[in-house]
Amino acid sequence: MCKTAGVKGSIKVNDRPRIMKIFNKMAAYIMQEDIVQPRLTVEEAMMFAARLKLRADILESEREAAVLEVIQLLGLEKCYQTRSEFLSGGQRKRLAVALELVNNPPVIFLDEPTSGLDNVAIKQCMELLQKITRQGRTVICTIHQPPASVFQNFDQVYVLARGYCVYNGSPVNLVPFLAKSGFACPSTYTPADYIIEVVQSNPEMVNTLSGAIQNGKTNMNVKASKNPCMPVIEMDICEIHNDQAQEDIIFPRSFCSQLGILLSRTFLQMSRNHSVILIQFLHHLASGLLVGSIFFKLGNDGSQTMAIFKYILSVNVFFMYTYVMVPVLVFPIEVKLMEREYFNRWYSLKAYYMSFTLASLPLMILFSIMFIIIVYFLTDQPMDLYRFLWFAAMSLAIGVTSQGLGYLIGSIFSITNGSVVGSSALAPLLALACYGMGYRAAIEPFMKVIISFSYLRFGVVGFSTTLFSKRDLMDCDDIYCHYRKPELLLKDMGMIGEDPRVQFSIIIAYLLLFRILAYCTLKYRLTAELSNKIVHFAAKIVRQKER
């Protein structure tokens, strides 16, 4: 397991203590997975990166020139107008590198840049990295088992095993170093494969080699290179993110500029996601027609008052499941994309969080209003503008709050685990929303506290009071309609005297709670040092108790 807490040491850059504000501007980190924004062409992805990563006082023509220079450097001219989802593996790798070269960082870190590539793509990737070093940049990459053809191309290698440095120097000096330490490299082995086999087959050899190289303090390089392209061969890879999420990081653009750029990018991507838009449209339309047909013309029928209450529950369930499960399934992928961009300081977390919150609202409001109109008028609910507006407001509040709960779950769990947790969490919420209906005011005090944890409860009460309170007698074609007077149903349900405005306010409070918790969860994930410290502190407490 990787550790960034409970250990001591210092990190120096050019023999000086690392200052994170400066180092963050100097360095770019490219992850192992070639995760790039979908539904954008190479040109669009590069221009959005340039707008976010370059200062506001730089002209658009200068940004375009910088993008074109990087495109030519990495040989992406032929796929300049190609969408990212149609790029090959090698092209996606080059695009991932190109996005971080826009602001010309002097230091570039790459995690496993050759993983998942064929031999031709690996060769092209290494030629690209060498070309970057000749531009005056330092390239540092981690590679587990580099082929001989790749290994010999590096200026400097730093071999790690079990947290210790077992070699530091040029590739050509690795074989003499091993021979001097008592491990002659057979001619049938490549030097990289042999040193890996030595330290893995006999863990005691780690201390031997580490002592011979003074744990990396001795540098066996033929000559120092101005711009070394240095891999780190890892036995136990440890990605350290300890300082990447500090609040005092200065971003190239202001919060408002970041928000505007992110919104324009998100809206462009959404407009091209035709299948999702069509699915959402059909889902709301079909669900509206289904609910409307089930409760058709029952809105003013005094003999079907309980059916209207079931209609209220159906509307609650629709907005709950629709807007919880979509973020649960989609948001974990968005978070992976965000982590790469945020780690390289494209934008602040606040700007990102605000942008995806606002970007989801237009389609959500549009489709929700369509559903509301269908189910309201097909079921012949009161033709009262005041009641309709409150019904719509309550529906949207439940939808947005459910979406916030979905974001909270999606920010914590993977897609698979989130699907299980999401559906499991909704069942008790729905059960609590219905608990005690028909008990009048006889609900136990402690159960009143428990049911208040379900925001759906306030939705049920809000819908019911909106449709039933202060209403004239309903139509009755039967001999006797017990709930012809709607307020009698409210009394039996224990809702008499409830105000829909209060219920709406409580739902909004839950909305804010879920959004804040989701933001804090993302912040926690990005501040890995904080999480590691908490885990380390908890482990110390457990160990002390065991003693």
Side-chain angles (χ1 to χ4, degrees), residues 133-386:
T133 61
R134 289 194 291 269
Q135 294 273 326
R137 302 179 180 93
T138 298
V139 177
I140 304 173
C141 56
T142 61
I143 299 179
H144 279 87
Q145 287 184 305
S149 58
V150 172
F151 185 73
Q152 296 301 325
N153 288 331
F154 290 107
D155 300 297
Q156 178 99 3
V157 292
Y158 194 91
V159 187
L160 290 174
R162 303 181 182 275
Y164 294 94
C165 175
V166 294
Y167 180 72
N168 177 24
S170 59
V172 296
N173 278 339
L174 177 56
V175 173
F177 167 76
L178 289 172
K180 185 178 179 181
S181 302
F183 304 100
C185 180
S187 58
T188 55
Y189 277 78
T190 63
D193 289 339
Y194 184 65
I195 191 172
I196 290 174
E197 182 176 309
V198 167
V199 296
Q200 286 186 337
S201 60
N202 191 346
E204 295 180 0
M205 297 302 101
V206 174
N207 295 330
T208 302
L209 294 175
S210 177
I213 202 71
Q214 293 184 302
N215 199 23
K217 293 180 180 180
T218 300
N219 186 355
M220 299 191 64
N221 203 340
V222 176
K223 58 179 181 179
S225 174
K226 293 182 178 179
N227 303 298
C229 182
M230 183 181 71
V232 180
I233 305 177
E234 303 167 299
M235 304 305 112
D236 298 301
I237 186 168
C238 180
E239 296 178 6
I240 299 177
H241 303 267
N242 53 322
D243 292 306
Q244 73 238 29
Q246 295 188 66
E247 284 294 334
D248 58 355
I249 292 175
I250 300 175
F251 296 95
R253 305 298 293 267
S254 66
F255 170 82
C256 292
S257 297
Q258 294 172 28
L259 179 60
I261 297 169
L262 290 172
L263 281 174
S264 63
R265 185 179 73 175
T266 304
F267 284 136
L268 177 60
Q269 291 173 299
M270 291 173 60
S271 66
R272 291 175 175 171
N273 200 355
H274 301 144
S275 59
V276 170
I277 295 175
L278 179 60
I279 290 171
Q280 288 182 333
F281 171 78
L282 293 176
H283 170 66
H284 285 76
L285 177 63
S287 299
L289 292 174
L290 179 62
V291 173
S293 61
I294 292 173
F295 301 99
F296 185 69
K297 295 291 184 180
L298 298 181
N300 199 40
D301 190 342
S303 65
Q304 298 292 332
T305 310
M306 285 303 299
I308 301 173
F309 183 73
K310 295 176 184 177
Y311 157 81
I312 288 172
L313 292 177
S314 299
V315 173
N316 258 286
V317 170
F318 169 81
F319 280 102
M320 175 187 70
Y321 272 104
T322 297
Y323 290 105
V324 165
M325 295 312 297
V326 171
V328 166
L329 298 175
V330 174
F331 194 53
I333 301 174
E334 294 289 333
V335 171
K336 284 187 177 181
L337 287 166
M338 180 272 294
E339 284 179 334
R340 178 183 65 83
E341 296 176 346
Y342 177 80
F343 183 83
N344 287 303
R345 295 154 302 280
W346 289 31
Y347 43 72
S348 66
L349 180 59
K350 293 177 183 177
Y352 169 80
Y353 194 76
M354 183 65 70
S355 69
F356 79 73
T357 298
L358 296 177
S360 63
L361 291 179
L363 281 179
M364 177 185 180
I365 293 174
L366 178 64
F367 292 143
S368 296
I369 292 297
M370 178 185 70
F371 173 85
I372 292 166
I373 291 174
I374 293 173
V375 300
Y376 194 90
F377 291 101
L378 280 183
T379 56
D380 196 25
Q381 299 302 326
M383 296 296 110
D384 182 336
L385 181 61
Y386 176 82

